[in-house]
């Protein structure tokens, strides 16, 4: 079968590898689509900055180079291993990529498995991945798709769950008001998640005119934070009250500063983006309004199911922001993603 294997810095090869066989408790999937994202770019362009050494076997999963990438994917079960009763051949599913965590550290004991230092993820540091025709995963990683959610949508469950978790971390109630800073895939996921949580008044701040146009096409109220006065727009949007919640999906310090200034008393900012740079920040902004700033990473298994249920309800619309590329073009796709073409790229696995 064809698979995209990562060998080291800027060395990803689409090549023939043996098809995997499911072990006990595992299934073999025929992959349909796999998204690529900033985490994959991190692997490809800056492996030296990863929090683990991909050259050494992973202490829990045993994964080592070459590693098949792809952690945002969906496929169809074609074979089940010994002891698997939860799914059957022909089932279609999105894959929850977290394959292993130590179970003993303070993060694991608090249920924050994504913050475990020994966390192993399919398509990163556990064997197999979405950027191949077939893969094996633990049956427990599968989240079944209902008939009206196709496999293309299924591959978007993971990135949409990132935004969903951020919205859950915001603590917002139905009827509240919100700001989403950044309209990349995480911001788009947060926007749909706010809608699904009954939050209709959501302002989307995005410097790129193309991305603003896509969001406006989906029905969002958009603002250009570079050429417009974001604070004034937030004030007007909320009748002077400020927003109850803000999700930073931009990864720029200015987004945090503006969001803090635009928060209602008791409001909360969720940092869901990765920031390359540190920033200046005036802590008194928190004390004066009793506002909060919290972080968000990953998603819970039940949030995967919540996203799938919202997809079945028709909450998610992929018009204008999803681009499909064949597996043979994956290396070019990595470079296109880095240069910021804006769309969510789905690699067609077979
Ligand atoms: Zn990702
Ligand atoms: Zn742990």
């Amino acid at each position: 079968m064809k698979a995209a294997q990562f060998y080291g810095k800027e060395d990803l090869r689409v090549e023939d590898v043996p098809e995997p066989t499911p072990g006990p408790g595992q299934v073999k999937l025929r992959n349909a689509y796999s998204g690529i994202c900033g985490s994959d770019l991190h692997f490809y362009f800056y492996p030296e900055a990863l929090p683990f050494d991909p050259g050494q076997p992973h202490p829990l999963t045993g994964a080592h180079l070459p590693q098949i990438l792809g952690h945002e994917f969906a496929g169809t079960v074609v074979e089940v291993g010994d002891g698997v009763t939860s799914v059957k051949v022909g089932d279609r599913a999105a894959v929850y990529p977290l394959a292993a965590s130590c179970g003993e550290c303070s993060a694991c004991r608090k249920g924050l498995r994504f913050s475990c230092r020994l966390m192993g993820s399919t398509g990163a540091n556990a064997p197999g991945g979405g950027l191949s025709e077939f893969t094996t995963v633990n049956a427990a990683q599968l989240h079944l798709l209902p008939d009206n959610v196709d496999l293309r949508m299924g591959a978007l469950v993971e990135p949409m769950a990132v935004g969903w978790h951020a919205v859950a971390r915001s603590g917002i109630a139905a009827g509240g008001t919100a700001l989403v800073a950044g309209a990349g895939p995480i911001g788009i996921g947060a926007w749909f998640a706010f809608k699904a949580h009954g939050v209709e008044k959501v302002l989307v701040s995005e410097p790129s005119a193309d991305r603003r146009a896509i969001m406006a096409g989906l029905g969002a109220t958009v603002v250009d934070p570079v050429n417009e006065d974001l604070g004034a727009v937030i004030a007007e949007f909320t009748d002077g009250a400020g927003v109850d919640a803000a999700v930073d999906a931009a990864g720029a310090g200015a987004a945090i500063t503006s969001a803090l200034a635009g928060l209602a008393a008791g409001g909360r900012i969720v940092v869901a983006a990765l920031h390359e740079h540190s920033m200046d920040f005036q802590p008194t902004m928190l004390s004066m309004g009793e506002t909060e700033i919290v972080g968000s990473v990953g998603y819970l298994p039940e949030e995967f199911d919540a996203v799938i249920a919202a997809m079945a309800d028709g909450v998610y619309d992929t018009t204008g922001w999803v681009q499909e590329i064949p597996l043979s073009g994956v290396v070019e796709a990595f470079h296109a993603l880095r240069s910021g073409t804006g769309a969510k790229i789905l690699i067609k696995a077979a």
Side-chain angles (χ1 to χ4, degrees):
M1 67 169 188
K2 293 284 186 214
Q5 297 212 101
F6 173 76
Y7 280 83
K9 191 177 176 77
E10 294 193 45
D11 185 359
L12 179 69
R13 306 174 200 168
V14 177
E15 55 192 4
D16 283 307
V17 302
E19 286 186 22
T21 306
Q26 290 192 316
V27 300
K28 178 180 175 183
L29 278 188
R30 177 187 293 112
N31 296 330
Y33 294 92
S34 178
I36 58 174
C37 75
S39 303
D40 298 297
L41 295 189
H42 209 80
F43 243 89
Y44 182 72
F45 289 106
Y46 313 107
E48 65 277 10
L50 289 169
F52 57 93
D53 178 0
Q56 297 298 321
H58 187 276
L60 297 181
T61 69
H64 55 79
L65 298 181
Q67 167 74 45
I68 296 174
L69 298 184
H71 59 276
E72 310 178 352
F73 64 106
T76 305
V77 177
V78 293
E79 191 180 340
V80 299
D82 283 347
V84 174
T85 54
S86 55
V87 296
K88 60 185 187 309
V89 170
D91 282 347
R92 298 170 316 115
V95 176
Y96 189 82
L98 197 125
S101 53
C102 80
E104 292 165 6
C105 70
S106 63
C108 283
R109 288 201 309 266
K110 287 180 180 168
L112 304 175
R113 295 175 67 212
F114 269 91
S115 298
C116 173
R117 291 215 181 116
L118 291 181
M119 188 265 266
S121 169
T122 300
N125 51 7
L131 292 175
S132 59
E133 289 180 64
F134 298 93
T135 194
T136 50
V137 294
N138 300 324
Q141 289 176 259
L142 297 187
H143 290 250
L144 297 183
L145 299 173
D147 287 345
N148 66 344
V149 176
D150 63 22
L151 287 164
R152 180 175 176 272
M153 190 68 97
L156 295 170
V157 172
E158 197 271 0
M160 295 299 98
V162 174
W164 188 284
H165 185 62
V167 168
R169 291 279 290 148
S170 81
I172 198 155
T177 55
L179 170 73
V180 174
I186 295 174
I188 292 174
W191 187 76
F192 282 121
F194 275 124
K195 297 276 163 187
H197 281 74
V199 178
E200 289 300 324
K201 274 188 82 78
V202 185
L203 183 65
V204 179
S205 160
E206 166 60 53
S208 152
D210 288 347
R211 285 183 169 182
R212 280 199 309 278
I214 289 167
M215 291 310 298
L218 295 172
T221 306
V222 295
V223 52
D224 174 358
V226 176
N227 297 303
E228 292 178 73
D229 180 346
L230 180 56
V233 173
I234 292 173
E236 192 190 330
F237 188 68
T238 58
D239 294 326
V243 289
D244 300 312
V247 170
D248 160 40
I256 307 256
T257 313
S258 313
L260 264 174
L263 270 189
R268 189 183 278 182
I269 294 185
V270 182
V271 179
L274 296 175
H275 286 245
E276 268 183 48
H277 304 290
S278 52
M279 62 177 285
D280 268 341
F281 146 74
Q282 169 50 270
T284 306
M285 292 181 80
L286 296 179
S287 49
M288 294 312 287
E290 294 209 344
T291 48
E292 295 174 66
I293 181 163
V294 301
S296 175
V297 66
Y299 29 70
L300 302 169
E302 52 268 36
E303 289 170 330
F304 246 55
D305 290 330
V307 168
I308 291 169
M311 285 175 169
D313 284 344
V315 169
Y316 292 86
D317 178 353
T318 62
T319 306
W321 59 275
V322 177
Q323 181 186 3
E324 290 176 29
I325 291 179
L327 184 60
S328 57
V330 67
V331 174
E332 292 77 7
F334 270 53
H335 288 266
L337 184 62
R338 182 158 81 153
S339 68
T341 50
K344 179 73 204 178
I345 295 176
L346 290 186
I347 304 296
K348 220 169 176 307

